[in-house]
Amino acid sequence: MDEETLRYLHARHLATVPFENLDIHLGVPIELTTDAVLDKVVKRRRGGFCYELNSAFAHLLAELGFRVEMLSAGVFRDGVAGPPFDHMALLVHLDEPWLADVGFGRHSTFPLRLDSRTPQEDPDGTFLLRSTEDGDVDVLRDGVPEYRLDPRPRRLTDFVPTCWYQQTAPGSPFRRGPTCSVAVPGGRITLAGDRLIRTTGGERTEEVLHSDAAILAAYREHFGVELPRVPTRP
């Protein structure tokens, strides 16, 4: 296994498997086990949020012969890093360590060099990894901190309590409303509630979908997601 293969798989995952929180708004509990995640992402052709997407990607990489570990991170909000296990990212061991992350929504198209402390250019921005005094690593995109990474390897079960919190807590950002997003050439396409948002080459367009039928058709057409009904805000 090599860097070229990892880069290809990373970019293709982002363009194929959507970042979405739809089960939370369909009233369907998210079960954080490998079998449940693979059933959802592979068999039912759905997406998910970080715990689901990155654990599924880790399983794929491991099956292909990569040595991969799960890492905990705290997402920055208002300039302050969140709690441990707020986010899951991946450490992939090749000739040098790589940070892979297909579960953050808009992020780097390609994996990042985990040991590098110089700017890394990517189609989705300029990324910088910066060491903290406590041995963690801040990940910045275009100068803005995105999350603080703890480099110690974790197990999938370590993320179960926070996964439950993200689904159920009134203050969780994932409960604000349904969203589904995937990378497209030059940008992203996102369905947030009834708004279909296209961002390409720095330009943003927005279309309001006026019926449940139109919303369900958009999930199917743009994300390959078949839903029994329209997700609603809790």
Side-chain angles (χ1 to χ4, degrees), residues 52-206:
E52 300 168 284
L53 297 182
N54 277 323
S55 63
F57 192 54
H59 181 82
L60 170 66
L61 294 177
E63 288 294 303
L64 293 174
F66 287 93
R67 187 161 68 93
V68 56
E69 296 171 334
M70 298 174 186
L71 302 181
S72 163
V75 177
F76 276 92
R77 297 180 180 89
D78 299 323
V80 178
F85 306 105
D86 197 25
H87 177 62
M88 177 197 289
L90 302 175
L91 164 60
V92 183
H93 296 274
L94 292 171
D95 291 340
E96 61 180 308
W98 289 84
L99 173 63
D101 190 348
V102 296
F104 198 68
R106 187 182 178 190
H107 192 58
S108 64
T109 300
F110 300 109
L112 302 172
R113 287 181 163 84
L114 188 55
D115 282 350
S116 173
R117 297 297 178 264
T118 59
Q120 302 182 53
E121 298 296 333
D122 182 87
D124 265 315
T126 300
F127 289 82
L128 178 67
L129 276 63
R130 186 171 60 194
S131 300
T132 72
E133 293 181 355
D134 296 328
D136 293 336
V137 179
D138 286 348
V139 179
L140 291 78
R141 176 177 173 270
D142 294 333
V144 179
E146 293 203 310
Y147 54 78
R148 177 163 292 171
L149 193 68
D150 181 338
R152 293 175 294 177
R154 305 292 186 171
R155 300 168 299 175
L156 183 59
T157 53
D158 294 332
F159 295 88
V160 169
T162 312
C163 180
W164 174 83
Y165 171 88
Q166 301 286 22
Q167 298 175 63
T168 60
S172 167
F174 294 101
R175 292 181 55 84
R176 293 174 187 163
T179 189
C180 187
S181 183
V182 73
V184 296
R188 299 190 68 82
I189 186 165
T190 300
L191 181 55
D194 61 357
R195 296 177 298 118
L196 186 64
I197 303 163
R198 294 179 174 88
T199 306
T200 307
E203 296 186 3
R204 185 181 187 275
T205 62
E206 184 174 316

Side-chain angles (χ1 to χ4, degrees), residues 214-234:
I215 293 171
L216 292 174
Y219 281 123
R220 185 167 53 251
E221 175 185 354
H222 299 291
F223 311 102
V225 170
E226 295 276 358
L227 296 180
R229 61 179 177 84
V230 171
T232 57
R233 188 188 305 270

